[in-house]
Amino acid sequence: MTAAQSFQRARKPQEISQRREQLLAAAAELFDEQGPQGAGLNAIAAKAGFTKSNVYRYFESREQVLLELFHDEFTDLIDAAIEAMQSVPLGDIEALADAITHCFLARPRCCALISILASTLEQNVSEATIAETKTHMGTQNARIVAALSARLPTASPADCAWAIAMIGSLVAGMWPGAHPPPAGVAVLARPEFAHMRIDVGRDLRRAAAALLTSIV
């Protein structure tokens, strides 16, 4: 008998939480290995030992599964960024740009999820789910804006919020171009296309430093 065949509905809050965590772990592994295309609901269900119909007891769609994964990843990113910024001397823009860039690069799954947030993850989900995600992002953004304001006392909170939003937008835009499919990798390896290659570590750091300089 397979795990899916022996599936029993979770009824207690702890059991429900455990089932959700199983699905999130399966989704994370598939997403890392195959990208969003490989993290379909059938694949997530099979990897977690569920049937597709049973997944709907815990999530409304595979997009909601990935959104929940994004919530966890985004919180981890913000926690790490705040901790890193707290050790930066006041007003040291270069060190802040380094710290922020390092935190993004250390979390490729989060960056990949950010890059498809609007185009993919907010499709096929309810308004309530999108509102929950926006609320979560707002709460986490407020934390990192406060941490940045503490390191850049001459910048206004509004300008710090703008800089953080722009850095996030740059990550979303850069990430797909820096991680193209195999055919794209082969083309970009040609000398004539060298100027089109994106190096997130180099380019994000430079852009972050420029943005932070503009608000002090």
Side-chain angles (χ1 to χ4, degrees):
M1 181 179 294
T2 66
Q5 289 172 330
S6 62
F7 180 90
Q8 294 183 352
R9 181 177 181 179
R11 300 183 183 279
K12 298 178 181 179
Q14 183 178 358
E15 293 174 341
I16 292 172
S17 179
Q18 289 174 343
R19 295 286 168 79
R20 287 173 65 89
E21 289 301 318
Q22 285 177 258
L23 290 164
L24 290 171
E29 188 172 341
L30 289 166
F31 187 84
D32 290 348
E33 292 174 352
Q34 304 175 39
Q37 296 81 5
L41 205 59
N42 283 324
I44 292 171
K47 194 166 191 65
F50 288 54
T51 63
K52 183 177 179 180
S53 61
N54 284 322
V55 176
Y56 287 118
R57 298 182 187 276
Y58 307 101
F59 294 98
E60 63 187 81
S61 63
R62 75 105 183 198
E63 286 79 12
Q64 191 187 26
V65 178
L66 295 178
L67 275 177
E68 190 72 25
L69 185 63
F70 166 70
H71 289 189
D72 294 342
E73 294 289 329
F74 192 61
T75 300
D76 180 63
L77 170 68
I78 299 301
D79 287 345
I82 290 172
E83 182 178 357
M85 286 194 293
Q86 286 172 342
S87 64
V88 171
L90 287 178
D92 192 335
I93 287 175
E94 295 299 326
L96 283 169
D98 280 339
I100 292 170
T101 300
H102 174 75
C103 287
F104 276 106
L105 292 179
R107 292 160 183 81
R109 183 191 299 157
C110 187
C111 293
L113 288 165
I114 288 172
S115 74
I116 61 169
L117 181 60
S119 63
T120 301
L121 302 188
E122 292 184 350
Q123 307 295 322
N124 197 31
V125 291
S126 65
E127 288 185 18
T129 295
I130 295 174
E132 180 183 355
T133 298
K134 300 297 187 188
T135 298
H136 178 76
M137 292 177 67
T139 299
Q140 300 307 317
N141 279 329
R143 296 175 59 220
I144 194 171
V145 167
L148 181 60
S149 295
R151 296 295 94 193
L152 295 178
T154 62
S156 71
D159 280 344
C160 287
W162 172 81
I164 290 297
M166 292 303 99
I167 290 170
S169 296
L170 286 169
V171 172
M174 287 181 182
W175 202 258
H179 300 85
V185 172
V187 170
L188 289 173
R190 299 177 187 176
E192 65 267 34
F193 299 119
H195 65 288
M196 295 183 179
R197 299 172 197 156
I198 297 173
D199 181 330
V200 178
R202 176 198 64 202
D203 299 335
L204 180 60
R205 187 202 169 283
R206 183 176 178 180
L211 286 166
L212 296 177
T213 299
S214 75
I215 65 173
V216 297

